[in-house]
């Protein structure tokens, strides 16, 4: 079984990391680093980039199953990807909403994500389909803080305190009694411990990487634990940067990244 | 006189803003927003993007003079742009280094910029050509803080305090007696007051937008003050986002942004 995992950059490696331990398969990871970040781009541009990336994984690399480990692409381009390839496609917005659905008793959930993911209201829509009310909040500083490596840092704690206070106030104003917080960006699992400290205890934090791996395992009927699957890595820009930054997300050294040219 | 001003996004509008007041001309501004940020990309990718953008301004829009208001493109692609077009080309790295040369008595200068600009060591090279010693420091959180609108914010003050303390320590360790600090990113002029508070008083802060406008005026022999020149705006991604975010950088409302497709 060949599983393609796609993200605009290295963030999706948190999803791959969870998959490698849970689902035995040959993985092909593509980071479209030449065109990142998708988060600030329009639906049309993200669609074009995501479709060419998905086609590379399926048509050139033989992926039989696709995991869209990029919230922006899942939010803006999942239908376009499904139209463009013939293999099953799972996106992290759906898996996050599924997990929120399973977790929430009050049926009120909170979502934090990048500006583009929030602007798309993809989480609110996916939650709505599952009879959940959702409040979404953009947290644009969290990705650069993670990429700066300021994980356990006072500045990050203060930024999280501000963002989370604003989110709680939004929820209060809207009359929500939320019991679940979805991390709607693949960078955020690295901040999970800090986020849990910054929110009320009653909020269960949904880590998109973990829940995506669980759901892929369930869907393929072949999950396990402590598996050590293997992966090949492709990037559309500097392989050295991909390796250097990516190791933090994958939790181990990355070797053998191959450069690929996908055009405009 | 038609002057083309190019940046990967809206940051270069700080340069356009200074030009509009100093140099009477018809301006054409291009923000290559579909492919931003250049800051995290390789020399080859930045070169390809910058050349296609420069050709659009000269060949399709009739620019007779080009200002590369993007530090990353000036650092990584100035020669490629000069090879690709027949009009004079001025880049913000050169203008910043010229201003540092004019300002510094100790001949030791400090530069803050994005990670890619620093990795290119373009400022150190340009300063070296002018018999200046330079220490460069990457400050990757400043652009997202500006774009979040956290200009006069305690978190930004704390991030600046940390970055500037690290920079002063680097300078001390290298034995530099710096008297000049170059803002090597077009977003940084918006933080100029906060940066001046975070550094020793003896450091003169060089604002790349202001000094670029001064040098273009001198080169064309047609500078003034209190001029109100006009500009046309082009972006390669969402014109709505360009308008919304850009107004902060230009210091006034932007209307009539045109979408342009430059390919990959």
């Amino acid at each position: 079984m060949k599983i393609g995992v796609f993200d605009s950059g290295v963030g999706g490696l948190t999803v791959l990391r969870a998959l490698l331990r849970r689902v035995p398969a040959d993985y092909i990871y593509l980071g479209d680093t030449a065109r990142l970040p998708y988060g600030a781009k329009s639906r049309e541009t993200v669609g074009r980039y995501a479709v060419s990336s998905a086609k590379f994984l399926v048509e050139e690399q033989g992926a039989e199953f696709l995991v869209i480990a990029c919230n922006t692409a899942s939010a803006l381009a999942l239908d376009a990807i499904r139209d463009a390839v013939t293999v099953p496609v799972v996106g992290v917005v759906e898996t996050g909403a599924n997990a929120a659905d399973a977790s929430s008793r009050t049926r009120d959930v909170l979502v934090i994500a990048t500006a583009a993911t929030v602007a798309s209201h993809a989480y609110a829509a996916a939650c709505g389909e599952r009879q959940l009310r959702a409040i979404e909040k953009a947290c644009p500083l969290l990705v650069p803080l993670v990429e700066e490596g300021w994980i356990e840092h006072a500045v990050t704690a203060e930024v999280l305190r501000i963002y989370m206070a604003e989110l709680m106030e939004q929820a209060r104003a809207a009359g929500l009694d939320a019991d679940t917080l979805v991390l709607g960006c693949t960078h955020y699992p690295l901040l999970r411990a800090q986020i849990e400290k910054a929110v009320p205890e009653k909020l269960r934090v949904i880590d998109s990487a973990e829940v995506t791996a669980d759901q892929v395992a369930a869907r393929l009927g072949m999950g396990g634990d402590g598996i050590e699957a293997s992966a090949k890595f492709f990037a559309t820009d500097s392989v050295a940067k991909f390796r250097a930054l990516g190791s933090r997300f994958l939790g181990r050294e990355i070797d053998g990244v191959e450069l690929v040219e996908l055009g405009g």
Side-chain angles (χ1 to χ4, degrees), chain A:
Chain A
M1 180 72 174
K2 270 197 175 181
I3 299 181
V5 180
F6 163 62
D7 184 32
S8 57
V10 295
L13 291 169
T14 59
V15 178
L16 178 63
R17 180 184 192 170
L19 282 164
L20 287 170
R21 285 193 302 241
R22 307 272 177 94
V23 186
D26 294 325
Y27 289 93
I28 314 145
Y29 184 95
L30 170 64
D32 188 14
T33 45
R35 306 188 290 194
L36 69 74
Y38 286 10
K41 298 190 176 76
S42 65
R43 178 181 294 269
E44 199 189 2
T45 301
V46 169
R48 192 156 47 90
Y49 291 177
V51 163
S52 65
S53 300
K55 282 188 164 179
F56 168 79
L57 287 168
V58 174
E59 294 172 10
E60 293 184 37
Q61 295 298 318
E64 300 152 87
F65 190 99
L66 276 191
V67 178
I68 310 304
C70 171
N71 279 275
T72 304
S74 298
L76 302 182
L78 201 65
D79 289 342
I81 295 169
R82 285 189 171 138
D83 287 347
V85 299
T86 54
V87 305
V89 181
V90 163
V92 288
V93 172
E94 283 177 350
T95 56
N98 288 341
D101 186 20
S103 152
S104 179
R105 293 186 191 175
T106 63
R107 313 309 291 161
D108 288 346
V109 307
L110 308 174
V111 182
I112 59 174
T114 64
T117 301
V118 168
S120 75
H121 296 304
Y123 275 99
C127 287
E129 287 167 11
R130 292 159 179 82
Q131 283 76 51
L132 293 164
R133 288 197 299 176
I135 294 266
E136 303 159 294
K137 178 169 175 59
C139 300
L141 288 167
L142 299 186
V143 167
L145 284 165
V146 168
E147 295 196 345
E148 181 70 309
W150 289 15
I151 305 291
E152 292 175 36
H153 193 289
V155 165
T156 304
E158 176 63 9
V159 169
L160 282 171
R161 192 193 62 73
I162 293 168
Y163 280 154
M164 294 306 130
E166 289 171 354
L167 176 57
M168 295 307 149
E169 183 47 41
Q170 262 181 269
R172 236 188 322 269
L176 261 68
D177 175 28
D179 62 356
T180 301
L181 171 66
V182 178
L183 307 187
C185 171
T186 52
H187 278 58
Y188 298 176
L190 277 79
L191 296 174
R192 182 178 180 161
Q194 281 66 32
I195 291 167
E196 284 176 338
K197 277 182 214 162
V199 296
E201 263 187 37
K202 65 163 187 176
L203 274 187
R204 181 184 300 184
V205 174
I206 304 275
D207 173 331
S208 47
E210 298 294 333
V211 301
T212 299
D214 287 344
Q215 290 174 45
V216 170
R219 177 136 172 198
L220 295 176
M222 56 188 216
D225 213 355
I227 292 161
E228 288 187 36
S230 70
K232 278 181 72 176
F233 300 92
F234 294 90
T236 56
D237 195 39
S238 164
V239 298
K241 275 179 204 163
F242 183 92
R243 249 198 325 262
L245 190 57
S247 303
R248 190 181 302 148
F249 292 83
L250 191 63
R252 62 170 174 82
E253 289 304 304
I254 297 174
D255 24 54
V257 184
E258 209 171 299
L259 186 67
V260 57
E261 169 64 71
L262 296 180

